[in-house]
Amino acid sequence: MAKLFPKSINRLPLQLAVYLVVVVCVATAGVTYYMTPKYTRVGYAPIQPVPYSHAKHVGELGLDCRYCHSTIDTAGAAVPTTQTCMNCHNQIKTASPALALVRDSLQSGRSIPWVHVHVMPSFVYFDHSVHVNRGVGCVECHGKVNQMDVVTQMQPMSMGFCLDCHRAPELRVRAKADVFNLDSKTIEAAQGIDAARRFVHDWNIRPPQSCSGCHR
Amino acid sequence: MRTLYILTAFAVVLTVSLLGFRGRVFTHPPMDVFPEWAFPGMKYQPKLTQQTPSAFFSDGRADRVAPPNTVASSYGPAGQPLRNDSFLYQGRAPDGTFARGFPPVLKVDMRFLNRGRDRFTIYCSPCHGLVGDGNGIVKKYGMGAVPTYHDDRLRKMAEGEIFGTITNGKGQMNPYADKLAPADRWAVIAYVRALQRAQIGTVSDVPDDRKGELGIK
């Protein structure tokens, strides 16, 4: 009787097992690489209704973040009102087509439809003031906004990202005067880890690590 | 077996070339790995937070403005329940004229002045300049008509009138009441006064024990 299967079939189960391991490894690598916020969110730069540039207004004119985001250290972040733009643009570039929507908005009272870049899920409690007033600079979470023409998400804003800092704030805090200066250094980079530890101790900085701190 | 590996390798190359690498810049909204329609959860709750749109109100905004003629209740700097202190909140004396000096409920000290410098640098210096001479950065870009603080009219102007300028705007200058709480407005005024005083200072203003630092005898 002729052989029904060639001899090499004997090795097939082993070969399949090895292949399965390889596929599982590749798939795991693919999921961690492509299905986590580091891939899905970082780099998001929506097209805004007005071609407003932080590089021009902050980098070149040297405006402070609080001139526009004026509630950041008291009540949380907000996108500036139309009137804020018109403080200057009632005299500067009054005929620019780039600003037509801003002028319309002032006249009609309708908001400019800015597109949100960073969005936290509703089940997370996040407040800017506690971070900004305790030495966490904008640059830690938003990157070098002062060099961006279009605001781009630079950090994944995942739970792991928040917790990395909450577990070791001494590596990321900076002096209070530097919080709004995006080119400043952290205390750790400027004066060493001991000074940073002292700062965290003296200011009694204790970010929450328990679930109810952020999911209240 | 070999074809299987080649196919897998092909699939990997295809995925990578389609999806690219981390750190690319894109404009479409980020992908939700667990989209709400397939995995209902509490990610996007219908609650209204600041600056959210709302179809309920005719202007489409969730943020509401106070109805006319309401007096805001506020435990302001002085701890009064109502904003009815006309000196503190309008800069007016009881007879309706612009008040001079600072509201008695505020303590004008070094801390107050430092707060004023801080706020002035953020909100006023882009136009009025760091020393209040009207040569802020935006002058170079076509902002005209920013006055200097260092003339007699503004030096003699009542504090209450400057408060009115910050609160309600004046001419080409828009109001800053939305950015500065009343107490902060007074702090800014105190700093403006300090700037004005500094420009007309003389040698005799320097305390005797500090003269050495400036090289004055």
Side-chain angles (χ1 to χ4, degrees), chain B residues 120-197:
Chain B
F120 180 89
T121 311
I122 299 169
Y123 296 113
C124 317
S125 70
C127 297
H128 287 281
L130 281 170
V131 292
D133 56 1
N135 288 327
I137 174 88
V138 297
K139 190 168 187 182
K140 279 205 302 229
Y141 292 87
M143 172 77 85
V146 185
T148 163
Y149 293 150
H150 310 299
D151 65 14
D152 254 6
R153 187 177 66 86
L154 283 171
R155 274 188 214 121
K156 296 215 174 81
M157 184 180 275
E159 279 81 359
E161 192 170 352
I162 304 183
F163 187 88
T165 304
I166 305 178
T167 311
N168 306 314
K170 177 157 191 176
Q172 291 284 328
M173 179 176 146
N174 278 346
Y176 279 77
D178 58 331
K179 303 190 190 307
L180 289 165
D184 284 345
R185 282 172 235 164
W186 288 109
V188 167
I189 295 167
Y191 186 65
V192 168
R193 285 291 186 236
L195 288 176
Q196 289 176 330
R197 186 68 185 81

Side-chain angles (χ1 to χ4, degrees), chain B residues 66 70-85 88-89 105 180-185:
Chain B
T70 39
V71 180
S73 75
S74 151
Y75 291 87
Q80 326 89 316
L82 286 178
R83 295 192 164 215
N84 57 2
D85 178 341
L88 180 60
Y89 292 110
V105 291
L180 289 165
D184 284 345
R185 282 172 235 164

Side-chain angles (χ1 to χ4, degrees), chain B:
Chain B
M1 218 52 226
R2 175 168 297 144
T3 28
L4 214 52
Y5 277 105
I6 290 176
L7 276 179
T8 315
F10 182 70
V12 169
V13 171
L14 190 72
T15 324
V16 172
S17 51
L18 277 182
L19 295 180
F21 294 102
R22 278 180 180 171
R24 82 246 183 271
V25 174
F26 57 98
T27 53
H28 57 84
M31 174 185 75
D32 241 342
V33 175
F34 297 107
E36 203 72 346
W37 53 267
F39 304 90
M42 290 166 72
K43 231 183 196 141
Y44 306 106
Q45 299 161 16
K47 68 182 175 191
L48 301 175
T49 51
Q50 68 172 355
Q51 293 194 328
T52 44
S54 158
F56 182 77
F57 296 105
S58 57
D59 61 359
R61 291 183 206 152
D63 299 336
R64 312 308 306 152
V65 289
N69 302 325
T70 39
V71 180
S73 75
S74 151
Y75 291 87
Q80 326 89 316
L82 286 178
R83 295 192 164 215
N84 57 2
D85 178 341
S86 70
F87 195 164
L88 180 60
Y89 292 110
Q90 280 117 37
R92 302 266 180 182
D95 59 2
T97 55
F98 287 117
R100 291 197 174 264
F102 290 86
V105 291
L106 298 173
K107 204 160 121 237
V108 182
D109 53 10
M110 204 56 204
R111 214 168 132 231
F112 190 68
L113 216 56
N114 276 331
R115 174 79 182 165
R117 178 171 64 186
D118 202 38
R119 300 291 112 175
F120 180 89
T121 311
I122 299 169
Y123 296 113
C124 317
S125 70
C127 297
H128 287 281
L130 281 170
V131 292
D133 56 1
N135 288 327
I137 174 88
V138 297
K139 190 168 187 182
K140 279 205 302 229
Y141 292 87
M143 172 77 85
V146 185
T148 163
Y149 293 150
H150 310 299
D151 65 14
D152 254 6
R153 187 177 66 86
L154 283 171
R155 274 188 214 121
K156 296 215 174 81
M157 184 180 275
E159 279 81 359
E161 192 170 352
I162 304 183
F163 187 88
T165 304
I166 305 178
T167 311
N168 306 314
K170 177 157 191 176
Q172 291 284 328
M173 179 176 146
N174 278 346
Y176 279 77
D178 58 331
K179 303 190 190 307
L180 289 165
D184 284 345
R185 282 172 235 164
W186 288 109
V188 167
I189 295 167
Y191 186 65
V192 168
R193 285 291 186 236
L195 288 176
Q196 289 176 330
R197 186 68 185 81
Q199 292 290 318
I200 51 172
T202 56
V203 176
S204 55
D205 292 328
V206 183
D208 282 339
D209 56 331
R210 307 295 288 271
K211 281 190 173 155
E213 289 172 29
L214 297 171
I216 309 167
K217 284 201 199 78

